[in-house]
Amino acid sequence: ETDAENKENPYTRLTLEAINSKLDITLCMFNERQDALAEERAIQEEHNELRQEYANRASEFDCWCVGMRESIEASTQAGTVDEALERLKALKPELEDGEGKLLAAKAMDTALKDSNINLGSSTDRTIFLLFRDFEEVSALYVDRKRFLEAESETQKRIRGNHARYAKKAQQHLLELGEQVTRFATLNFGKCTLSEARQMQQYFDEYLKGAKVTLSNDRQ
């Protein structure tokens, strides 16, 4: 700035060039700040998309948990034990599908943590809660399956014992019938009253022994 220029404008020391320079600096700062905010907004939008994707996967998993619990309960409510066991075993693929949903949510949770992104207000269903719920559903499935398998084996053993009991009972009746027939044929009109009573006592003892045998077989 020269003395002549200052004399031309006694109200300021700023020249037009200085004003233009400051304006250029201000506009540059404004543009840089605007670009930074635009970049930050894009980053936040990307983070929100990740948060929402995790929230969607968590919600999908929660729906699966509710449906799986209901399916497990319903599978054991009707029919025979073996039928209930088969219905429960048929749910195994659904259990594996739920594990896949959980792992998908876990992958999203890992991506969020690697980028230092918190869940914010997108959902309160943390990955810890999802794993806890999956363990509860899995435990319910395993417990019901073990119970039905044990009950099925018990019923099979009972049916086997009844079959053996019926077979031996039939054998005892056939043997007794043969002995009665043989006695009647050989001694018809020949034995005394004392001999008849002795034979009756023999048959009574035979029947008692058969009952004990059959009773043991039913245990």
Side-chain angles (χ1 to χ4, degrees):
E1 300 176 0
T2 64
D3 292 339
E5 290 173 338
N6 289 337
K7 291 178 181 178
E8 291 177 359
N9 189 349
Y11 301 103
T12 180
R13 294 176 61 83
L14 292 175
T15 64
L16 182 61
E17 289 78 6
I19 292 174
N20 287 334
S21 176
K22 289 181 179 294
L23 179 61
D24 289 341
I25 293 173
T26 301
L27 290 175
C28 182
M29 292 176 60
F30 174 82
N31 291 332
E32 288 178 354
R33 182 56 178 165
Q34 188 176 40
D35 292 342
L37 289 174
E39 182 179 354
E40 181 63 23
R41 180 177 181 179
I43 292 174
Q44 289 301 322
E45 288 178 349
E46 182 180 354
H47 288 182
N48 287 335
E49 289 177 359
L50 292 174
R51 291 188 184 100
Q52 189 58 49
E53 185 174 353
Y54 172 82
N56 291 341
R57 293 183 184 276
S59 178
E60 183 181 1
F61 176 79
D62 286 341
C63 290
W64 172 85
C65 277
V66 173
M68 191 63 182
R69 285 193 181 96
E70 292 176 351
S71 296
I72 292 174
E73 294 291 346
S75 69
T76 60
Q77 294 301 317
T80 65
V81 170
D82 289 337
E83 290 172 346
L85 181 58
E86 289 305 313
R87 285 196 299 270
L88 187 65
K89 288 181 178 179
L91 296 176
K92 182 65 173 179
E94 291 187 33
L95 190 65
E96 295 171 350
D97 181 60
E99 185 176 11
K101 295 181 187 300
L102 176 63
L103 293 178
K106 172 62 176 176
M108 286 304 308
D109 178 75
T110 300
L112 289 170
K113 289 178 179 177
D114 289 345
S115 300
N116 294 321
I117 305 172
N118 57 41
L119 292 178
S121 60
S122 59
T123 180
D124 59 353
R125 300 292 292 155
T126 65
I127 196 66
F128 170 80
L129 296 177
L130 300 189
F131 268 95
R132 184 201 63 186
D133 289 350
F134 181 77
E135 289 175 358
E136 290 177 356
V137 173
S138 297
L140 177 63
Y141 175 86
V142 171
D143 289 345
R144 292 298 174 85
K145 184 171 177 287
R146 286 177 178 171
F147 171 79
L148 291 174
E149 286 175 340
E151 191 67 16
S152 177
E153 289 300 318
T154 299
Q155 291 191 5
K156 286 179 181 178
R157 185 172 65 254
I158 292 174
R159 288 194 296 269
N161 290 343
H162 285 176
R164 288 191 296 273
Y165 172 84
K167 184 177 181 180
K168 288 191 176 182
Q170 186 178 18
Q171 291 175 347
H172 283 305
L173 288 175
L174 289 174
E175 290 175 2
L176 180 59
E178 290 175 356
Q179 292 189 34
V180 170
T181 301
R182 187 181 303 111
F183 174 79
T185 301
L186 296 176
N187 299 284
F188 181 74
K190 298 179 182 179
C191 65
T192 64
L193 180 60
S194 176
E195 291 173 337
R197 286 176 176 173
Q198 289 178 357
M199 183 56 64
Q200 182 181 4
Q201 184 179 3
Y202 167 78
F203 287 145
D204 289 342
E205 293 297 327
Y206 178 85
L207 287 174
K208 289 180 181 179
K211 288 180 180 179
V212 171
T213 301
L214 292 173
S215 177
N216 292 334
D217 289 339
R218 295 187 69 177
Q219 301 301 319

